[in-house]
Amino acid sequence: MNEQKRYFSRELLIWYRANRRDLPWRRQQNPYYTWVSEIMLQQTRVDTVIPYFHRFLEKFPTVEALADAPEEEVLKAWEGLGYYSRARNLQAAAREVKEQYGGQVPDDKQKVSSLKGVGPYTTGAIMSIAFNRPVPAVDGNVMRVLSRYFRLHDDIAKPSTRVNIEYLAEELIPEGCASDFNQALMELGALICTPKSPACLICPVMEHCAGRIAGEELVLPIKTKAKPPKPEQRYAALIVGTGAHAGKVLVRQRPATGLLARMWELPHMLVPKQAGLIGMNDDAAMDMLRGAMLSEGVQVKPYERWVDAEHTFSHIHWRMRVFLCEPLAADAASIFKQVAGDHETEYRWISPEDMEQLAFPNLFLKLINDYFKTSLQTIG
Ligand code: SF4
């Protein structure tokens, strides 16, 4: 190992041991805690994750508890964190760990990496943080730090670059210190060598940082742009109950596979591209929505535009226009009994209290809560 590398590993470790943040998953060495925290931290900020982490472990304190829980409960505990396939995969993998390894996360790189939803980064994080094994954990933060420090100009969006950086990161792990060193790298990326404003002047490895010396700390890492999310326009129906269902809202469950599988939502439809969202007047839009609802056996009359909302998933951007609707069938409960096609879509009338039982994606959680808030204020 050359001096630039030795210096990096040594100084980083010293800095980390003096400055590490007190994070709940660091308070005790428990592979299950490390695993849950690493899955939650994917695409999500530390501050956001902390309360979720506490609640999740209170509800599911062990691998077995998670494995045995109904999926609905797990999704509910994840509600608001987004990327729900993470929660589903985590539970599926917890079941594997329960059945195949007696509920103990195995101290074995191959076995850990074969668990559902556990990719090379998470494998490295679990093996190093929880078991102190010298396995690199390379994510976007680590690639940024190492690209800058070693002044690497390879495109970090390419898998071959990641593989090369993994070799480099592995070589840098000081003997017997994998847990602290990998966390130190992550910590440096999170606190000092940040994407837009690296704090080089207080960085523990600035002296030998080739990117900084070349004045390229803001140029690196090189990353080709991912494709922007595909825009989709949607009309949604906020169907307000009458009679026995007065004050309730009709929600439906998403299919068992695909985006946001089995979560609950307001019924909505994809607007054909040529129709457009902005170009279409509300009467035509409400007509289209009425027809789409009817094709699912739900007879409603949209009568007024309520609100516009947007949400970006990793690959799709939804622009949604929500219309208030009234149920048309004489018995409002029966409006969703006949379901078109060969699959059954479940619909339910829900009150504000029922929101506690069902898991909603953020977009709908906010819309429905907003509706209940406004309607209660109106009544009050
Ligand atoms: S000196 Fe600057 S660019 Fe280099 S690792 Fe430190 S913060 Fe990043």
Side-chain angles (χ1 to χ4, degrees), residues 28-109:
Q28 47 178 306
Q29 206 126 344
N30 179 323
Y32 173 58
Y33 293 2
T34 306
W35 180 18
V36 170
S37 68
E38 287 298 334
I39 299 291
M40 285 186 170
L41 285 164
Q42 289 166 15
Q43 341 249 3
T44 313
R45 295 166 50 84
V46 167
D47 297 351
T48 311
V49 164
I50 291 174
Y52 278 94
F53 178 80
H54 285 304
R55 277 200 301 270
F56 198 86
L57 286 180
E58 224 165 83
K59 250 182 167 323
F60 317 114
T62 60
V63 171
E64 279 95 343
L66 178 59
D68 294 342
E71 188 193 71
E72 187 86 0
E73 257 178 51
V74 178
L75 290 176
K76 191 69 198 163
W78 206 270
E79 187 182 75
L81 267 181
Y83 301 95
Y84 295 92
S85 56
R86 293 182 297 173
R88 277 193 202 92
N89 288 340
L90 180 62
Q91 189 182 32
R95 288 176 177 157
E96 279 175 62
V97 171
K98 181 188 165 192
E99 277 150 31
Q100 293 177 27
Y101 311 117
Q104 299 299 317
V105 179
D107 178 4
D108 181 308
K109 185 180 161 191

Coordinates of all heavy atoms in Angstrom, one line a residue, residues 28-109:
Q28 N -25.3 -0.6 19.9 CA -24.9 -2.0 20.2 C -24.7 -2.7 18.9 O -25.3 -2.5 17.9 CB -25.9 -2.7 21.1 CG -27.3 -2.6 20.7 CD -28.3 -3.3 21.6 OE1 -28.1 -4.5 21.8 NE2 -29.2 -2.6 22.1
Q29 N -23.8 -3.7 19.0 CA -23.4 -4.5 17.8 C -24.5 -5.6 17.6 O -24.4 -6.6 18.3 CB -22.1 -5.1 17.9 CG -21.4 -5.3 16.6 CD -20.0 -4.7 16.5 OE1 -19.7 -3.8 17.3 NE2 -19.2 -5.1 15.5
N30 N -25.4 -5.3 16.7 CA -26.5 -6.3 16.5 C -26.7 -6.4 15.0 O -27.2 -5.4 14.4 CB -27.7 -5.9 17.3 CG -28.9 -6.8 17.1 OD1 -29.1 -7.4 16.0 ND2 -29.7 -7.0 18.1
P31 N -26.4 -7.5 14.4 CA -26.5 -7.6 12.9 C -27.9 -7.2 12.4 O -28.1 -6.6 11.3 CB -26.2 -9.1 12.6 CG -25.5 -9.6 13.8 CD -25.9 -8.8 15.0
Y32 N -29.0 -7.6 13.2 CA -30.3 -7.3 12.7 C -30.5 -5.7 12.7 O -31.1 -5.2 11.8 CB -31.3 -7.9 13.7 CG -32.8 -7.6 13.4 CD1 -33.4 -7.8 12.2 CD2 -33.6 -7.1 14.5 CE1 -34.7 -7.5 12.0 CE2 -34.9 -6.7 14.3 CZ -35.5 -6.9 13.1 OH -36.8 -6.6 12.9
Y33 N -30.0 -5.0 13.7 CA -30.2 -3.6 13.8 C -29.4 -3.0 12.6 O -29.9 -2.0 11.9 CB -29.6 -3.0 15.1 CG -30.4 -3.4 16.3 CD1 -31.5 -4.2 16.3 CD2 -30.0 -2.8 17.6 CE1 -32.2 -4.5 17.4 CE2 -30.7 -3.2 18.7 CZ -31.8 -4.0 18.6 OH -32.4 -4.3 19.8
T34 N -28.2 -3.5 12.3 CA -27.4 -2.9 11.2 C -28.2 -3.1 9.9 O -28.3 -2.2 9.1 CB -26.1 -3.7 11.1 OG1 -25.4 -3.6 12.4 CG2 -25.2 -3.1 10.1
W35 N -28.7 -4.3 9.8 CA -29.4 -4.6 8.5 C -30.6 -3.7 8.3 O -30.8 -3.0 7.3 CB -29.8 -6.1 8.7 CG -30.6 -6.7 7.5 CD1 -30.7 -6.2 6.2 CD2 -31.3 -7.9 7.6 NE1 -31.4 -7.1 5.5 CE2 -31.9 -8.1 6.3 CE3 -31.6 -8.8 8.6 CZ2 -32.7 -9.2 6.0 CZ3 -32.4 -9.9 8.3 CH2 -32.9 -10.1 7.0
V36 N -31.5 -3.6 9.4 CA -32.7 -2.7 9.3 C -32.2 -1.3 9.0 O -32.8 -0.6 8.1 CB -33.5 -2.8 10.6 CG1 -34.6 -1.7 10.6 CG2 -34.1 -4.2 10.8
S37 N -31.2 -0.8 9.7 CA -30.8 0.6 9.5 C -30.3 0.8 8.1 O -30.6 1.8 7.4 CB -29.8 1.0 10.5 OG -28.6 0.4 10.3
E38 N -29.5 -0.1 7.6 CA -28.9 0.1 6.2 C -30.0 0.0 5.2 O -30.0 0.8 4.2 CB -27.9 -1.0 5.9 CG -26.6 -0.8 6.7 CD -25.9 0.5 6.4 OE1 -26.1 1.0 5.2 OE2 -25.1 1.1 7.2
I39 N -31.0 -0.8 5.3 CA -32.1 -0.8 4.3 C -32.9 0.5 4.4 O -33.2 1.1 3.4 CB -33.1 -2.0 4.6 CG1 -32.3 -3.4 4.5 CG2 -34.3 -2.0 3.6 CD1 -31.8 -3.7 3.1
M40 N -33.2 1.0 5.6 CA -33.9 2.2 5.8 C -33.1 3.4 5.2 O -33.7 4.3 4.6 CB -34.2 2.5 7.2 CG -35.3 1.7 7.8 SD -35.8 2.2 9.5 CE -37.2 1.2 9.7
L41 N -31.8 3.4 5.4 CA -31.0 4.5 5.0 C -30.8 4.6 3.5 O -30.3 5.6 3.0 CB -29.6 4.4 5.6 CG -29.6 4.8 7.1 CD1 -28.3 4.3 7.8 CD2 -29.8 6.3 7.3
Q42 N -31.2 3.6 2.7 CA -31.0 3.7 1.3 C -32.0 4.7 0.8 O -33.2 4.7 1.1 CB -31.4 2.3 0.6 CG -30.4 1.2 0.8 CD -30.9 -0.1 0.5 OE1 -31.9 -0.3 -0.2 NE2 -30.2 -1.2 0.9
Q43 N -31.5 5.7 0.1 CA -32.2 6.8 -0.5 C -33.0 7.7 0.6 O -33.9 8.4 0.2 CB -33.3 6.4 -1.5 CG -33.1 5.0 -2.0 CD -32.8 5.0 -3.5 OE1 -32.6 6.0 -4.0 NE2 -32.6 3.9 -4.1
T44 N -32.6 7.6 1.8 CA -33.3 8.3 2.9 C -32.3 8.9 3.9 O -31.3 8.3 4.2 CB -34.3 7.3 3.6 OG1 -35.0 6.6 2.6 CG2 -35.3 8.1 4.5
R45 N -32.6 10.1 4.3 CA -31.7 10.8 5.2 C -31.7 10.2 6.6 O -32.7 9.8 7.1 CB -32.1 12.3 5.3 CG -31.9 13.1 3.9 CD -32.7 14.4 4.1 NE -32.2 15.1 5.3 CZ -31.1 15.8 5.3 NH1 -30.4 16.0 4.3 NH2 -30.8 16.4 6.5
V46 N -30.5 10.4 7.3 CA -30.4 9.9 8.6 C -31.5 10.4 9.6 O -32.1 9.7 10.3 CB -29.0 10.2 9.2 CG1 -28.9 9.9 10.7 CG2 -27.9 9.4 8.5
D47 N -31.7 11.7 9.5 CA -32.7 12.3 10.4 C -34.1 11.8 10.3 O -34.8 11.6 11.2 CB -32.8 13.9 10.2 CG -31.5 14.5 10.5 OD1 -30.6 13.9 11.0 OD2 -31.3 15.7 10.1
T48 N -34.4 11.5 9.0 CA -35.7 10.9 8.7 C -35.8 9.5 9.3 O -36.8 9.0 9.8 CB -36.0 10.9 7.2 OG1 -35.7 12.1 6.7 CG2 -37.4 10.4 6.9
V49 N -34.7 8.7 9.1 CA -34.7 7.3 9.5 C -34.8 7.1 11.0 O -35.5 6.2 11.4 CB -33.4 6.6 8.9 CG1 -33.2 5.3 9.6 CG2 -33.6 6.5 7.4
I50 N -34.2 7.9 11.8 CA -34.1 7.7 13.3 C -35.4 7.3 13.9 O -35.6 6.3 14.5 CB -33.4 8.8 14.0 CG1 -31.9 8.8 13.6 CG2 -33.5 8.7 15.5 CD1 -31.1 10.0 14.1
P51 N -36.5 8.2 13.8 CA -37.7 7.8 14.5 C -38.3 6.5 13.9 O -38.9 5.7 14.6 CB -38.7 9.0 14.2 CG -38.0 9.8 13.1 CD -36.6 9.5 13.2
Y52 N -38.2 6.3 12.6 CA -38.7 5.1 12.0 C -38.0 3.8 12.6 O -38.6 2.8 12.8 CB -38.5 5.1 10.5 CG -39.6 5.8 9.7 CD1 -39.4 7.2 9.4 CD2 -40.8 5.2 9.4 CE1 -40.4 7.9 8.7 CE2 -41.8 5.9 8.7 CZ -41.6 7.2 8.4 OH -42.5 7.9 7.7
F53 N -36.7 4.0 12.7 CA -35.9 2.9 13.2 C -36.3 2.5 14.6 O -36.6 1.3 14.9 CB -34.4 3.3 13.2 CG -33.5 2.3 13.8 CD1 -33.0 1.2 13.0 CD2 -33.0 2.4 15.1 CE1 -32.2 0.3 13.5 CE2 -32.1 1.4 15.6 CZ -31.7 0.4 14.8
H54 N -36.6 3.5 15.5 CA -37.0 3.2 16.8 C -38.4 2.5 16.8 O -38.6 1.5 17.5 CB -37.1 4.5 17.7 CG -35.8 5.1 18.1 ND1 -34.9 4.4 18.8 CD2 -35.2 6.3 17.9 CE1 -33.8 5.1 19.0 NE2 -34.0 6.3 18.5
R55 N -39.3 3.1 16.1 CA -40.6 2.5 16.0 C -40.6 1.1 15.5 O -41.3 0.2 16.0 CB -41.6 3.4 15.2 CG -42.1 4.6 15.9 CD -43.4 5.1 15.2 NE -43.1 5.5 13.8 CZ -42.7 6.7 13.5 NH1 -42.6 7.7 14.4 NH2 -42.4 7.0 12.2
F56 N -39.8 0.9 14.4 CA -39.8 -0.4 13.7 C -39.2 -1.5 14.7 O -39.8 -2.6 14.8 CB -38.8 -0.3 12.5 CG -39.0 -1.4 11.5 CD1 -40.0 -1.4 10.5 CD2 -38.2 -2.6 11.6 CE1 -40.1 -2.4 9.6 CE2 -38.3 -3.6 10.7 CZ -39.3 -3.5 9.7
L57 N -38.2 -1.1 15.5 CA -37.6 -2.1 16.4 C -38.5 -2.4 17.6 O -38.4 -3.4 18.2 CB -36.2 -1.7 16.8 CG -35.2 -2.0 15.6 CD1 -33.8 -1.6 16.0 CD2 -35.2 -3.4 15.2
E58 N -39.3 -1.4 18.0 CA -40.2 -1.6 19.1 C -41.2 -2.6 18.7 O -41.6 -3.5 19.4 CB -40.9 -0.2 19.3 CG -41.0 0.1 20.8 CD -41.4 1.6 20.9 OE1 -42.6 1.9 20.8 OE2 -40.5 2.4 21.1
K59 N -41.7 -2.5 17.4 CA -42.7 -3.4 16.9 C -42.2 -4.7 16.5 O -42.8 -5.8 16.8 CB -43.3 -2.8 15.6 CG -44.8 -2.3 15.8 CD -45.3 -1.8 14.5 CE -46.8 -1.6 14.5 NZ -47.6 -2.5 15.2
F60 N -41.0 -4.7 15.9 CA -40.4 -6.0 15.5 C -39.0 -6.1 16.0 O -38.0 -5.8 15.3 CB -40.3 -6.0 13.9 CG -41.6 -5.5 13.3 CD1 -41.6 -4.4 12.5 CD2 -42.8 -6.3 13.4 CE1 -42.7 -3.9 11.9 CE2 -43.9 -5.8 12.8 CZ -43.9 -4.6 12.0
P61 N -38.8 -6.4 17.3 CA -37.5 -6.4 18.0 C -36.5 -7.4 17.5 O -35.3 -7.2 17.8 CB -37.9 -6.5 19.5 CG -39.2 -7.1 19.5 CD -39.9 -6.8 18.3
T62 N -37.0 -8.5 16.9 CA -36.1 -9.5 16.5 C -36.4 -9.9 15.0 O -37.5 -9.6 14.5 CB -36.3 -10.8 17.3 OG1 -37.6 -11.2 17.2 CG2 -36.0 -10.5 18.8
V63 N -35.5 -10.7 14.4 CA -35.8 -11.2 13.1 C -37.1 -12.1 13.1 O -37.9 -11.9 12.2 CB -34.6 -12.1 12.7 CG1 -34.9 -12.9 11.4 CG2 -33.3 -11.3 12.5
E64 N -37.3 -12.9 14.1 CA -38.5 -13.7 14.2 C -39.7 -12.8 14.2 O -40.7 -13.1 13.6 CB -38.5 -14.6 15.4 CG -37.7 -15.8 15.3 CD -36.3 -15.6 15.9 OE1 -35.9 -14.5 16.1 OE2 -35.6 -16.6 16.2
A65 N -39.7 -11.8 15.0 CA -40.9 -10.9 15.2 C -41.2 -10.3 13.8 O -42.4 -10.2 13.4 CB -40.6 -9.8 16.2
L66 N -40.2 -9.9 13.1 CA -40.4 -9.4 11.7 C -41.0 -10.4 10.8 O -41.9 -10.2 10.0 CB -39.2 -8.7 11.2 CG -39.2 -8.2 9.8 CD1 -40.3 -7.0 9.7 CD2 -37.9 -7.6 9.4
A67 N -40.4 -11.6 10.9 CA -40.7 -12.7 10.0 C -42.2 -13.1 10.2 O -42.9 -13.4 9.2 CB -39.8 -13.9 10.2
D68 N -42.6 -13.1 11.5 CA -44.0 -13.6 11.8 C -45.1 -12.5 11.7 O -46.3 -12.8 11.8 CB -44.0 -14.1 13.2 CG -43.1 -15.3 13.4 OD1 -42.8 -15.9 12.3 OD2 -42.7 -15.6 14.5
A69 N -44.7 -11.3 11.4 CA -45.7 -10.2 11.4 C -46.5 -10.2 10.1 O -46.0 -10.6 9.1 CB -45.0 -8.8 11.5
P70 N -47.8 -9.8 10.2 CA -48.5 -9.7 8.9 C -47.9 -8.6 8.0 O -47.4 -7.5 8.6 CB -49.9 -9.2 9.4 CG -50.0 -9.4 10.8 CD -48.6 -9.4 11.3
E71 N -47.9 -8.8 6.7 CA -47.2 -7.8 5.8 C -47.8 -6.4 6.0 O -47.1 -5.4 6.0 CB -47.3 -8.3 4.4 CG -46.5 -7.4 3.5 CD -46.8 -7.6 2.0 OE1 -47.9 -7.1 1.5 OE2 -45.9 -8.1 1.3
E72 N -49.1 -6.4 6.2 CA -49.8 -5.1 6.3 C -49.2 -4.2 7.5 O -49.0 -3.0 7.3 CB -51.3 -5.3 6.6 CG -52.1 -4.1 6.6 CD -52.7 -3.8 5.2 OE1 -52.3 -4.4 4.2 OE2 -53.4 -2.8 5.1
E73 N -48.8 -4.9 8.6 CA -48.2 -4.2 9.7 C -46.8 -3.7 9.4 O -46.5 -2.6 9.8 CB -48.1 -5.2 10.9 CG -49.2 -4.9 11.9 CD -49.1 -5.9 13.1 OE1 -48.0 -6.1 13.6 OE2 -50.1 -6.6 13.4
V74 N -46.1 -4.5 8.6 CA -44.7 -4.1 8.3 C -44.8 -2.8 7.3 O -44.1 -1.8 7.5 CB -44.0 -5.2 7.6 CG1 -42.6 -4.8 7.1 CG2 -43.9 -6.4 8.5
L75 N -45.7 -2.9 6.4 CA -45.9 -1.7 5.5 C -46.3 -0.5 6.2 O -45.9 0.6 6.0 CB -46.9 -2.1 4.4 CG -46.4 -3.1 3.3 CD1 -47.6 -3.4 2.4 CD2 -45.2 -2.6 2.6
K76 N -47.2 -0.7 7.2 CA -47.7 0.4 8.0 C -46.5 1.1 8.8 O -46.4 2.3 8.8 CB -48.8 -0.1 9.0 CG -49.5 1.0 9.7 CD -50.4 1.7 8.7 CE -50.8 3.1 9.3 NZ -51.4 4.0 8.3
A77 N -45.6 0.2 9.3 CA -44.5 0.8 10.1 C -43.5 1.5 9.1 O -42.7 2.3 9.5 CB -43.8 -0.4 10.8
W78 N -43.6 1.2 7.8 CA -42.7 1.7 6.8 C -43.3 3.0 6.2 O -42.7 3.7 5.5 CB -42.4 0.7 5.8 CG -41.1 0.9 5.0 CD1 -40.9 1.6 3.9 CD2 -39.8 0.3 5.4 NE1 -39.6 1.6 3.5 CE2 -38.9 0.8 4.4 CE3 -39.4 -0.5 6.4 CZ2 -37.6 0.4 4.5 CZ3 -38.0 -0.8 6.5 CH2 -37.1 -0.4 5.5
E79 N -44.6 3.2 6.4 CA -45.4 4.2 5.7 C -44.7 5.6 5.9 O -44.4 6.0 7.0 CB -46.8 4.3 6.3 CG -47.8 5.2 5.6 CD -49.1 5.2 6.4 OE1 -49.2 5.8 7.4 OE2 -50.0 4.5 5.9
G80 N -44.5 6.2 4.7 CA -43.8 7.5 4.8 C -42.4 7.4 4.4 O -41.8 8.4 4.0
L81 N -41.8 6.2 4.5 CA -40.4 6.1 4.1 C -40.2 5.9 2.6 O -39.1 6.2 2.1 CB -39.7 4.9 4.8 CG -39.0 5.1 6.2 CD1 -38.5 3.8 6.7 CD2 -37.9 6.2 6.0
G82 N -41.2 5.5 1.9 CA -41.1 5.3 0.5 C -40.4 4.0 0.1 O -39.8 3.3 1.0
Y83 N -40.3 3.8 -1.2 CA -39.6 2.6 -1.7 C -40.0 1.4 -0.9 O -39.2 0.7 -0.3 CB -38.1 2.8 -1.7 CG -37.6 4.0 -2.4 CD1 -37.4 5.2 -1.8 CD2 -37.3 3.9 -3.8 CE1 -36.9 6.3 -2.5 CE2 -36.9 5.0 -4.5 CZ -36.7 6.2 -3.9 OH -36.3 7.3 -4.6
Y84 N -41.3 1.1 -1.0 CA -41.9 0.0 -0.2 C -41.4 -1.4 -0.5 O -41.5 -2.3 0.4 CB -43.4 0.1 -0.2 CG -43.8 1.4 0.4 CD1 -44.1 2.5 -0.4 CD2 -44.0 1.6 1.7 CE1 -44.4 3.7 0.1 CE2 -44.4 2.8 2.3 CZ -44.6 3.9 1.5 OH -44.9 5.1 2.0
S85 N -40.8 -1.6 -1.7 CA -40.3 -2.9 -1.9 C -39.1 -3.2 -0.9 O -38.9 -4.4 -0.7 CB -39.8 -3.1 -3.4 OG -38.8 -2.1 -3.6
R86 N -38.5 -2.2 -0.4 CA -37.5 -2.4 0.6 C -38.1 -3.2 1.8 O -37.5 -4.1 2.4 CB -36.9 -1.1 1.1 CG -36.1 -0.4 0.1 CD -35.5 0.9 0.6 NE -36.4 1.9 1.1 CZ -36.1 3.0 1.8 NH1 -34.9 3.2 2.1 NH2 -37.1 3.8 2.2
A87 N -39.2 -2.7 2.2 CA -39.9 -3.3 3.4 C -40.3 -4.8 3.1 O -40.1 -5.7 3.9 CB -41.1 -2.5 3.9
R88 N -40.9 -5.0 1.9 CA -41.3 -6.3 1.6 C -40.1 -7.3 1.5 O -40.2 -8.4 2.0 CB -42.0 -6.3 0.2 CG -43.4 -5.9 0.4 CD -44.2 -6.1 -0.9 NE -45.3 -5.2 -0.9 CZ -45.3 -4.0 -1.4 NH1 -44.3 -3.6 -2.0 NH2 -46.3 -3.3 -1.2
N89 N -39.0 -6.8 0.8 CA -37.9 -7.7 0.7 C -37.2 -7.9 2.1 O -36.8 -9.1 2.4 CB -36.8 -7.0 -0.2 CG -37.2 -7.0 -1.6 OD1 -38.1 -7.8 -2.0 ND2 -36.7 -6.1 -2.4
L90 N -37.2 -6.9 2.9 CA -36.7 -7.1 4.3 C -37.4 -8.2 5.0 O -36.8 -9.1 5.7 CB -36.7 -5.8 5.0 CG -36.2 -5.7 6.5 CD1 -34.7 -6.1 6.5 CD2 -36.4 -4.4 7.1
Q91 N -38.8 -8.2 4.9 CA -39.5 -9.2 5.6 C -39.3 -10.6 5.0 O -39.2 -11.6 5.7 CB -41.0 -8.8 5.6 CG -41.8 -9.8 6.5 CD -43.2 -9.6 6.6 OE1 -43.8 -9.2 5.6 NE2 -43.8 -9.9 7.7
A92 N -39.3 -10.6 3.6 CA -39.1 -11.9 3.0 C -37.7 -12.5 3.4 O -37.6 -13.7 3.7 CB -39.1 -11.7 1.5
A93 N -36.7 -11.6 3.5 CA -35.4 -12.1 3.9 C -35.4 -12.5 5.4 O -34.7 -13.4 5.8 CB -34.3 -11.0 3.7
A94 N -36.1 -11.8 6.2 CA -36.2 -12.1 7.6 C -36.8 -13.6 7.8 O -36.4 -14.4 8.6 CB -37.1 -11.1 8.4
R95 N -37.8 -13.9 6.9 CA -38.3 -15.2 6.9 C -37.3 -16.3 6.5 O -37.2 -17.3 7.1 CB -39.6 -15.3 6.0 CG -40.7 -14.5 6.6 CD -41.9 -14.4 5.7 NE -43.0 -13.8 6.5 CZ -44.0 -13.1 5.9 NH1 -44.2 -13.1 4.6 NH2 -44.9 -12.6 6.6
E96 N -36.5 -15.9 5.5 CA -35.4 -16.8 5.1 C -34.4 -17.0 6.3 O -34.0 -18.2 6.6 CB -34.5 -16.2 4.0 CG -35.1 -16.3 2.6 CD -34.2 -15.6 1.6 OE1 -33.0 -15.9 1.5 OE2 -34.7 -14.6 1.0
V97 N -34.1 -15.9 7.0 CA -33.1 -16.0 8.1 C -33.7 -16.9 9.2 O -33.1 -17.7 9.9 CB -32.7 -14.6 8.6 CG1 -31.9 -14.7 9.9 CG2 -31.9 -13.9 7.6
K98 N -35.0 -16.7 9.5 CA -35.7 -17.5 10.5 C -35.7 -19.0 10.2 O -35.3 -19.8 11.0 CB -37.1 -17.0 10.7 CG -37.9 -17.7 11.8 CD -39.3 -17.4 11.8 CE -40.0 -18.4 12.7 NZ -41.5 -18.4 12.6
E99 N -36.1 -19.3 8.9 CA -36.2 -20.7 8.5 C -34.8 -21.4 8.3 O -34.7 -22.5 8.7 CB -37.0 -20.8 7.2 CG -38.5 -20.8 7.5 CD -39.3 -20.2 6.4 OE1 -38.9 -20.3 5.2 OE2 -40.4 -19.6 6.7
Q100 N -33.9 -20.6 7.7 CA -32.7 -21.3 7.3 C -31.5 -21.2 8.4 O -30.6 -22.0 8.4 CB -32.2 -20.8 6.0 CG -33.1 -21.2 4.9 CD -32.6 -20.7 3.5 OE1 -31.5 -20.4 3.4 NE2 -33.6 -20.5 2.6
Y101 N -31.6 -20.1 9.1 CA -30.4 -19.8 10.0 C -30.9 -19.6 11.5 O -30.2 -19.0 12.3 CB -29.6 -18.6 9.6 CG -29.3 -18.7 8.1 CD1 -29.8 -17.7 7.2 CD2 -28.5 -19.7 7.6 CE1 -29.5 -17.8 5.8 CE2 -28.2 -19.8 6.2 CZ -28.7 -18.8 5.4 OH -28.4 -18.9 4.0
G102 N -32.1 -20.2 11.8 CA -32.5 -20.1 13.2 C -32.7 -18.7 13.7 O -32.6 -18.5 14.9
G103 N -33.0 -17.8 12.8 CA -33.3 -16.4 13.3 C -32.0 -15.6 13.5 O -32.1 -14.4 13.9
Q104 N -30.8 -16.1 13.3 CA -29.6 -15.4 13.4 C -29.0 -15.0 12.1 O -28.8 -15.8 11.2 CB -28.5 -16.2 14.1 CG -28.9 -16.7 15.5 CD -29.1 -15.6 16.5 OE1 -28.3 -14.6 16.5 NE2 -30.2 -15.7 17.3
V105 N -28.7 -13.7 11.9 CA -28.1 -13.3 10.6 C -26.8 -14.0 10.5 O -26.0 -13.9 11.4 CB -27.9 -11.7 10.6 CG1 -27.3 -11.3 9.3 CG2 -29.3 -11.0 10.8
P106 N -26.6 -14.7 9.4 CA -25.3 -15.5 9.4 C -24.1 -14.7 9.2 O -24.1 -13.7 8.4 CB -25.5 -16.4 8.1 CG -26.6 -15.7 7.3 CD -27.4 -14.9 8.2
D107 N -23.0 -15.1 9.8 CA -21.7 -14.4 9.7 C -21.0 -15.0 8.5 O -20.0 -15.7 8.6 CB -20.9 -14.6 11.0 CG -19.5 -14.0 10.9 OD1 -19.2 -13.3 9.9 OD2 -18.7 -14.2 11.8
D108 N -21.6 -14.8 7.3 CA -21.1 -15.5 6.1 C -21.5 -14.6 4.9 O -22.7 -14.4 4.6 CB -21.8 -16.8 6.0 CG -21.3 -17.6 4.8 OD1 -21.4 -17.1 3.6 OD2 -20.9 -18.8 4.9
K109 N -20.5 -14.1 4.2 CA -20.8 -13.1 3.1 C -21.7 -13.7 2.0 O -22.6 -13.0 1.6 CB -19.4 -12.7 2.5 CG -19.5 -11.7 1.5 CD -18.1 -11.4 0.9 CE -18.3 -10.7 -0.4 NZ -17.0 -10.6 -1.1

